[in-house]
Amino acid sequence: MLRIVKHTFLFCLLFAGNRLYAQSDRIIKLIEADTNKPLANIDVIVDFRPEGPLFAGKSDSFGIFKFNHSGAFKLVIFDVAELYHDFESTYTAQDNAITVKLVPNDVIIDQVTITGLGGPRSTAKNPYMVRTITREKIARMGSQNLGEVLQNETNIQLGQDQVLGTSAIMQGIGGQDIKILVNGIPLIGRVNGNIDVSQIPVSNIERVEIIEGPMSVVYGTDALGGVINIITRYPVGGKLSGRVNAFTDNLSNYNLDVSLNTRINPKTPLMFNMGRYFFTGRDFDPETRVYDWKPKTKYFGDASFFINGKNSTHRFTSSAYSEKLTDRSEAEFNLTNITGYNSYYYTTRFDNSSHSVFKMPNHKRFEWQNAFNYYNRAKNTIKRNLVTGDEVPYRPEDQDTTAFTLFNSRGIYSYYNPGEKLNWIAGYDFNQEKGYGKRIPADRPGITDAAIFGSLEYKPNKSFEIRPSLRLLYNSRFGNTVLYGIFGDKFKLAPLIPSLQVKYNMSEHLTFRGSYAKGFRAPSLKELNFYFVDINHNIHGNEDLKAETSDNFILSFDYRHKLPQGKGTIFNFSLFNNIIRNKINLALVDARTNYYTYINIGRFRSQGLNVNFEFFTPRISYGTSISIINVFDLLQQEDSISQKFYLNGQLSFNLSYKFPKQKMAVSLFSRYTSPTNGYTENSQRYKISGYYLMDVTCQKTFAKLPLSVNMGIKNILGVTSVNSSRTLSSNPHSQDGFNVNISPGRTVFLQLNYNFNSFNNNSKK
């Protein structure tokens, strides 16, 4: 009997031991491939399906993730912040202690992007072809505003107007069809249809993300030609840190900006940024009062408050911008005195926004932003006695003040798990724009549009991905009336806006992308209701305008390869084709009265290719790009169809060489723009000569001083303007003339940047 009890006890002990062993934790340890340091807060998915459960979570502070189920499984590891490459593999039931080395993403070869998505993704994993301009490149160029940043980019052309500012054209499509965002929030204040990109300072820019082609599904109207998204900096450093930046050049630009970072506690940082940019103007003919490049004074500032919780982050920002531009006329002589006219243009922006990200269980995420933007542009003209200095207002009835406001609310709910075949995003977008002033009729002050949109991302295998998207849009002015019996003619739905992206990983380094997208742009308040009649202008809005629609096709190949010894290479090749119907242009209707109005001119088409090659080493980096664009129009006239087309191209070459011992880098930026054939708003042909721009800069940092120096020469060849066959009075907004302004001239500049950072013993707690 005792023997039976003994054997029974040993059997139970052995069975319990086996059960305890079977249920013991299985361990996955994550370390960085280069340094072997443990990696915390990395997403881990252990998948036993369909026979077993799925475990999901994050690695702990030691890089450890534990689970306690036996059997074979699939392991998926990814970093939401996109700092490391994704990892996916399968393991057997005998694999109980696994070490995974994650390879860091190269920020040069594969930048992290957020535009058009429900969260951050590396460029290689983004379904869209995204071009990124980094803060490091912006600093090397010595750029002071967004216009100077875009100056070096192919497939983007800049137009210069001395009163209206700098406009951008992408893929041959004008600025009125390009949406400019700051942290995903749209900017307002289009003058002549364009946002003045020279009014956007770079002092607080972290990077600029550019997507070419219609993004109307995600960003709605005005994104028919593409999106430029400005990502601002995030505060880093101790309890008190910041920088002071000063810039001056031989053309009398005097710029100063200051940034300050602090914090209430480690999870609630604060950031302040402010500056003053002053330009005395540039006149190529000292015998006249008229400045070829107008004097400008700019003041700007912003304040941001951050709250970083365990599963959510919040950012609240207020920013202000003020600009004064002075436009002086020629002197008028008579028998008793000499008279001149000074026009002052005042631009004011005031933007307030909140942006929140909520991280939810099971890889879901909700991103919510709200913004209220105010834009005001005023013109005051005075008559000045150039002998006595006396000034009086000139034609007070022609003094102009126009203001616009925009309320934007936008939310995106998304699910993204690289280990799953199906991911998705769903969202809403609400915009209400209003206009004020005597140029905008009081009975038609605004446009409201509201939309819901969604996208599916299906991956049948590791290499292939297809992404269909759709947007349903209500616009208070445009669309087809629905539910007439309930709402009358008050409820209108615009045509459905679909898009389709296809992505195929042909190899580890080569990716093919193909896309089709529908575009939609409703006429703006200005195009519909603007009324501007004075001694120099006779411009009328047109409430009979139709909305622009477009079809866009893009094919691209993207090669990115990180090579040994810190080297790497990038090669992109893309083809595009845009077709826009009912394109809106300003046109001369009656030459006798100089009567201009906005009309739908017919069909517009742009097609072309863009090729880009870059190579990096620890010391030297260089790149070259070429773009060729053909623009073709069918202009609907009274009794005929007029065909117009023009071909142009751009070629850029950039080179940077580092001297590590001297802590110095020398950079070359160059771009050639070919001659352009175009036509004016009243269908008159004109030609613009080609030109070549070249800059050389030198950056120097110091080992024992938190100081950096940037100096160089911009526009070495001294290009100021190019010949044009454009006739007088072809544009009612711009000054008459036969030359097109390109640059104020050769610029020798000096820029100083001082960084300070105050740490204390509690800064890491």
Side-chain angles (χ1 to χ4, degrees):
M1 183 68 181
L2 182 62
R3 187 174 182 180
I4 294 174
V5 171
K6 179 179 179 181
H7 283 285
T8 302
F9 176 77
L10 290 174
F11 176 80
C12 292
L13 185 63
L14 180 62
F15 178 79
N18 287 336
R19 291 288 295 173
L20 288 172
Y21 176 77
Q23 294 182 1
S24 63
D25 286 336
R26 302 171 76 178
I27 296 175
I28 297 172
K29 184 175 182 180
L30 307 182
I31 61 176
E32 187 177 82
D34 296 339
T35 63
N36 288 332
K37 72 175 183 180
L39 298 176
N41 206 37
I42 303 294
D43 281 270
V44 180
I45 300 173
V46 178
D47 191 355
F48 291 91
R49 295 178 301 178
E51 288 79 12
L54 181 144
F55 297 90
K58 294 181 180 292
S59 57
D60 62 18
S61 59
F62 300 100
I64 301 296
F65 180 82
K66 298 179 180 180
F67 61 101
N68 58 0
H69 189 81
S70 61
F73 63 92
K74 182 175 80 169
L75 176 63
V76 178
I77 301 173
F78 66 97
D79 178 22
V80 174
E82 293 286 349
L83 299 178
Y84 297 91
H85 287 291
D86 294 346
F87 177 86
E88 183 175 332
S89 186
T90 55
Y91 292 90
T92 66
Q94 287 72 42
D95 295 316
N96 296 312
I98 302 168
T99 298
V100 177
K101 294 185 176 182
L102 295 183
V103 179
N105 273 331
D106 192 298
V107 295
I108 298 177
I109 299 295
D110 200 10
Q111 300 97 341
V112 176
T113 60
I114 61 174
T115 304
L117 302 169
R121 302 245 196 125
S122 66
T123 303
K125 291 193 292 183
N126 198 315
Y128 301 102
M129 189 66 192
V130 183
R131 193 189 326 180
T132 303
I133 306 173
T134 63
R135 181 178 68 184
E136 187 266 343
K137 182 178 180 180
I138 294 173
R140 285 193 290 114
M141 289 191 293
S143 299
Q144 299 299 294
N145 59 67
L146 181 62
E148 294 181 2
V149 173
L150 300 176
Q151 181 73 55
N152 195 244
E153 299 297 309
T154 56
N155 236 8
I156 296 180
Q157 296 172 287
L158 299 181
Q160 302 286 357
D161 186 282
Q162 302 320 302
V163 174
L164 304 180
T166 305
S167 59
I169 299 173
M170 290 202 309
Q171 293 188 347
I173 299 176
Q176 67 272 14
D177 294 314
I178 299 172
K179 198 147 198 170
I180 297 181
L181 312 169
V182 178
N183 296 319
I185 295 170
L187 276 181
I188 63 170
R190 295 180 181 272
V191 181
N192 199 26
N194 300 293
I195 296 289
D196 181 2
V197 292
S198 69
Q199 291 184 344
I200 304 173
V202 302
S203 59
N204 201 32
I205 293 180
E206 177 65 25
R207 66 184 184 274
V208 179
E209 297 180 2
I210 302 170
I211 300 181
E212 299 174 14
M215 292 294 292
S216 297
V217 170
V218 181
Y219 292 109
T221 190
D222 296 334
L224 187 146
V227 167
I228 299 174
N229 192 13
I230 301 163
I231 312 300
T232 58
R233 295 188 181 189
Y234 183 85
V236 295
K239 280 194 171 182
L240 182 64
S241 63
R243 63 187 182 276
V244 179
N245 183 71
F247 176 95
T248 187
D249 62 27
N250 63 306
L251 299 182
S252 299
N253 279 288
Y254 304 99
N255 301 340
L256 178 68
D257 59 80
V258 179
S259 180
L260 180 67
N261 303 324
T262 185
R263 62 191 187 193
I264 299 174
N265 57 58
K267 294 185 177 181
T268 55
L270 303 171
M271 183 171 64
F272 303 92
N273 184 61
M274 65 203 74
R276 177 184 185 267
Y277 288 2
F278 177 64
F279 175 47
T280 61
R282 176 75 162 162
D283 185 11
F284 300 127
D285 185 359
E287 301 297 324
T288 67
R289 293 187 75 244
V290 177
Y291 279 91
D292 295 278
W293 293 80
K294 314 302 181 187
K296 293 181 181 180
T297 303
K298 307 176 183 180
Y299 294 92
F300 59 89
D302 59 74
S304 297
F305 172 61
F306 300 81
I307 301 176
N308 298 315
K310 181 179 180 181
N311 295 310
S312 66
T313 59
H314 311 271
R315 176 175 184 160
F316 305 91
T317 301
S318 288
S319 63
Y321 176 89
S322 175
E323 178 186 274
K324 177 185 177 182
L325 182 147
T326 303
D327 183 15
R328 304 196 311 187
S329 73
E330 292 282 12
E332 296 181 357
F333 298 86
N334 56 40
L335 295 177
T336 58
N337 57 30
I338 306 174
T339 303
Y341 299 90
N342 294 348
S343 293
Y344 301 101
Y345 295 85
Y346 300 92
T347 300
T348 302
R349 296 180 186 273
F350 187 51
D351 303 320
N352 299 277
S353 65
S354 66
H355 183 271
S356 299
V357 175
F358 301 90
K359 298 176 183 178
M360 301 178 176
N362 301 320
H363 309 287
K364 294 183 176 68
R365 165 189 169 113
F366 181 64
E367 186 173 349
W368 190 37
Q369 67 182 40
N370 295 277
F372 180 79
N373 301 334
Y374 172 82
Y375 172 87
N376 180 284
R377 183 175 173 88
K379 175 190 175 185
N380 295 322
T381 302
I382 60 98
K383 182 178 180 180
R384 179 181 176 87
N385 188 314
L386 301 181
V387 178
T388 65
D390 295 334
E391 296 182 348
V392 295
Y394 177 70
R395 294 176 60 92
E397 67 275 13
D398 291 336
Q399 309 303 312
D400 177 35
T401 299
T402 304
F404 294 93
T405 62
L406 174 68
F407 173 72
N408 169 257
S409 181
R410 176 182 174 86
I412 297 179
Y413 184 48
S414 62
Y415 170 79
Y416 179 65
N417 179 354
E420 295 288 350
K421 291 186 176 181
L422 186 64
N423 296 291
W424 49 263
I425 67 170
Y428 78 91
D429 196 1
F430 177 85
N431 295 276
Q432 186 175 63
E433 184 177 8
K434 294 183 177 181
Y436 307 89
K438 62 183 180 180
R439 312 298 182 196
I440 304 293
D443 60 335
R444 302 300 297 272
I447 295 179
T448 300
D449 68 57
I452 55 174
F453 59 91
S455 176
L456 296 176
E457 193 172 295
Y458 178 64
K459 294 192 294 184
N461 53 54
K462 292 182 180 180
S463 300
F464 187 71
E465 178 183 312
I466 183 170
R467 182 187 176 105
S469 305
L470 187 66
R471 184 182 185 97
L472 180 64
L473 172 67
Y474 158 78
N475 188 283
S476 61
R477 297 281 192 97
F478 296 92
N480 300 316
T481 301
V482 296
L483 302 176
Y484 182 83
I486 301 175
F487 300 102
D489 62 353
K490 302 295 184 182
F491 189 74
K492 297 180 179 180
L493 290 180
L496 291 176
I497 307 172
S499 70
L500 178 67
Q501 283 79 36
V502 176
K503 178 172 171 284
Y504 179 63
N505 296 323
M506 304 178 69
S507 69
E508 180 183 356
H509 308 293
L510 180 61
T511 302
F512 165 79
R513 292 179 177 89
S515 69
Y516 163 77
K518 195 83 174 178
F520 175 86
R521 184 179 84 86
S524 67
L525 279 175
K526 193 168 188 179
E527 292 165 336
L528 291 169
N529 304 125
F530 193 65
Y531 175 78
F532 190 11
V533 178
D534 64 9
I535 191 172
N536 297 313
H537 302 83
N538 188 11
I539 306 169
H540 299 256
N542 182 0
E543 291 200 350
D544 294 326
L545 288 173
K546 299 177 182 179
E548 295 180 353
T549 59
S550 74
D551 294 282
N552 169 271
F553 302 87
I554 298 178
L555 298 176
S556 68
F557 293 89
D558 183 28
Y559 180 82
R560 297 173 183 271
H561 193 177
K562 183 179 180 181
L563 302 170
Q565 300 177 347
K567 300 177 182 180
T569 185
I570 297 174
F571 175 77
N572 314 120
F573 174 83
S574 63
L575 297 168
F576 65 87
N577 184 34
N578 297 295
I579 302 172
I580 302 178
R581 300 172 185 86
N582 297 321
K583 184 168 173 54
I584 300 171
N585 264 34
L586 188 64
L588 179 64
V589 176
D590 188 346
R592 295 172 301 174
T593 60
N594 204 33
Y595 183 100
Y596 280 82
T597 189
Y598 294 93
I599 65 171
N600 296 106
I601 66 169
R603 186 177 178 182
F604 171 94
R605 184 173 186 173
S606 69
Q607 52 191 190
L609 63 86
N610 194 55
V611 181
N612 175 63
F613 173 77
E614 299 175 63
F615 184 76
F616 310 92
T617 72
R619 279 203 172 189
I620 188 171
S621 63
Y622 59 87
T624 184
S625 298
I626 183 172
S627 68
I628 300 174
I629 303 173
N630 181 47
V631 175
F632 177 85
D633 294 87
L634 290 177
L635 304 180
Q636 297 178 356
Q637 299 177 346
E638 290 185 4
D639 55 358
S640 65
I641 295 178
S642 174
Q643 297 185 6
K644 305 287 185 182
F645 72 92
Y646 62 88
L647 182 71
N648 65 64
Q650 293 136 358
L651 174 66
S652 71
F653 177 77
N654 302 326
L655 173 69
S656 181
Y657 189 86
K658 297 179 181 178
F659 300 87
K661 292 183 179 180
Q662 293 77 20
K663 295 187 177 296
M664 188 171 68
V666 177
S667 303
L668 167 72
F669 303 94
S670 62
R671 170 173 157 167
Y672 172 73
T673 299
S674 71
T676 299
N677 295 317
Y679 64 93
T680 64
E681 290 80 1
N682 54 343
S683 302
Q684 294 179 346
R685 294 296 299 269
Y686 70 95
K687 293 184 179 180
I688 301 175
S689 301
Y691 60 92
Y692 187 71
L693 298 176
M694 179 186 294
D695 305 339
V696 173
T697 66
C698 178
Q699 280 186 301
K700 166 71 176 174
T701 59
F702 300 89
K704 297 183 179 181
L705 292 175
L707 179 70
S708 64
V709 178
N710 190 12
M711 63 184 71
I713 305 176
K714 298 182 182 181
N715 190 8
I716 293 176
L717 302 180
V719 177
T720 57
S721 62
V722 294
N723 294 328
S724 169
S725 62
R726 188 167 186 156
T727 59
L728 296 175
S729 300
S730 62
N731 188 330
H733 293 288
S734 302
Q735 291 184 321
D736 291 334
F738 293 96
N739 291 335
V740 175
N741 286 324
I742 301 298
S743 165
R746 186 180 296 109
T747 306
V748 180
F749 74 91
L750 174 66
Q751 184 173 9
L752 303 177
N753 187 279
Y754 177 78
N755 294 275
F756 58 92
N757 197 345
S758 175
F759 291 95
N760 59 37
N761 294 331
N762 298 321
S763 64
K764 295 184 179 181
K765 291 185 179 180

